[in-house]
Amino acid sequence: MYKNVVLVGFMGTGKTTVGREVAGQLGWAFADTDHYVEERAGRSIPQLFAEQGEASFRQLETQALQDLLRQEGQVVSTGGGAVLREENRRLMLQGGLVVALNASEPVIVERVRGDGNRPLLQGNVEERVRTLMETRRSAYGFAPLQIDTDLLDVARIAELIIRRLRP
C-alpha cells in the first residue's frame, strides 16, 4: 500500500475538496501545500507572488513537498503549478500514489471565477484559464491515476482513489 496520496491537477479540479474527503474516509491527515507555504512564509500566496515573484514561490512549494512527503498516512493536495518542476514530480512519485484530477475548461472557469486568491488568474479569467491549460496540457500526465472530475461527485472520486490504494 502507498504511504500517502498526492493530488495534482489544474486549479479548480477539486484537489482540496477531494483530498479532505479521502483523508476523512481513510482516517489520514490532510495537507495542502499552498496553505503550508502560506503558514511558513507568514504571507498569502498573492503577497508572495507580488513581493518575491513566482520563482521564489515555486522554491517554497518544493520545500513544502519535501517536508510533507517525509511523513506517512496523509493526503497532500498540491498547487496547480507544482508539477512544473521535475524535482517536484519525482518527490510526488516517491512520496505516494499520485492522482491527477482533471476537468474541462468550462467547468474550471465556473469553479474559479471570483476567487481572488489565484494570482495567475488576474484579468480575463476565461483567457487566463485557456492559456494556462494549453501550457500545462501534458504536465499532469505523469500521474498513475487520472480522474476526470467533470461529472463525478466527491464521494465517487474518493471511492476511485481508495480503491486504487487497496487493490
Side-chain angles (χ1 to χ4, degrees), residues 27-95:
W28 286 8
F30 173 76
D32 181 296
T33 59
D34 285 348
H35 291 145
Y36 186 88
V37 166
E38 288 178 331
E39 286 179 12
R40 298 274 317 259
R43 292 191 281 305
S44 70
I45 291 172
Q47 288 173 317
L48 289 168
F49 266 71
E51 296 169 7
Q52 299 177 7
E54 184 175 359
S56 177
F57 169 75
R58 295 297 174 200
Q59 185 56 44
L60 294 170
E61 191 172 55
T62 297
Q63 184 62 52
L65 284 168
Q66 290 170 342
D67 294 349
L68 290 168
L69 293 176
R70 282 189 193 113
Q71 303 167 47
E72 295 184 15
Q74 62 186 344
V75 179
V76 178
S77 173
T78 64
V83 299
L84 300 177
R85 281 187 167 186
E86 175 62 34
E87 178 182 4
N88 292 353
R89 293 189 301 269
R90 180 182 51 74
L91 287 166
M92 291 175 200
L93 289 168
Q94 290 172 350

Side-chain angles (χ1 to χ4, degrees), residues 60-158:
L60 294 170
E61 191 172 55
T62 297
Q63 184 62 52
L65 284 168
Q66 290 170 342
D67 294 349
L68 290 168
L69 293 176
R70 282 189 193 113
Q71 303 167 47
E72 295 184 15
Q74 62 186 344
V75 179
V76 178
S77 173
T78 64
V83 299
L84 300 177
R85 281 187 167 186
E86 175 62 34
E87 178 182 4
N88 292 353
R89 293 189 301 269
R90 180 182 51 74
L91 287 166
M92 291 175 200
L93 289 168
Q94 290 172 350
L97 170 64
V98 182
V99 180
L101 300 181
N102 304 301
S104 65
E105 183 181 319
V107 168
I108 288 173
V109 167
E110 189 59 36
R111 290 177 181 171
V112 301
R113 185 183 311 281
D115 185 345
N117 203 37
R118 298 183 189 272
L120 293 178
L121 287 186
Q122 301 310 306
N124 182 317
V125 173
E126 291 86 355
E127 182 180 313
R128 293 296 300 143
V129 166
R130 184 176 308 109
T131 301
L132 284 169
M133 284 186 82
E134 285 174 13
T135 61
R136 296 181 184 175
R137 188 162 311 280
S138 61
Y140 308 105
F142 76 102
L145 180 56
Q146 302 278 327
I147 301 174
D148 185 336
T149 66
D150 277 6
L151 302 174
L152 298 176
D153 65 18
V154 173
R156 177 68 176 133
I157 297 166

Side-chain angles (χ1 to χ4, degrees), residues 1-6 22-23 26 28 74-75 96-99 145 158-167:
M1 183 156 139
Y2 295 93
K3 63 181 187 173
N4 295 302
V5 171
V6 182
V22 172
L26 292 172
W28 286 8
Q74 62 186 344
V75 179
L97 170 64
V98 182
V99 180
L145 180 56
E159 177 187 331
L160 293 170
I161 294 168
I162 292 167
R163 184 182 305 158
R164 179 68 175 264
L165 275 176
R166 300 177 178 152

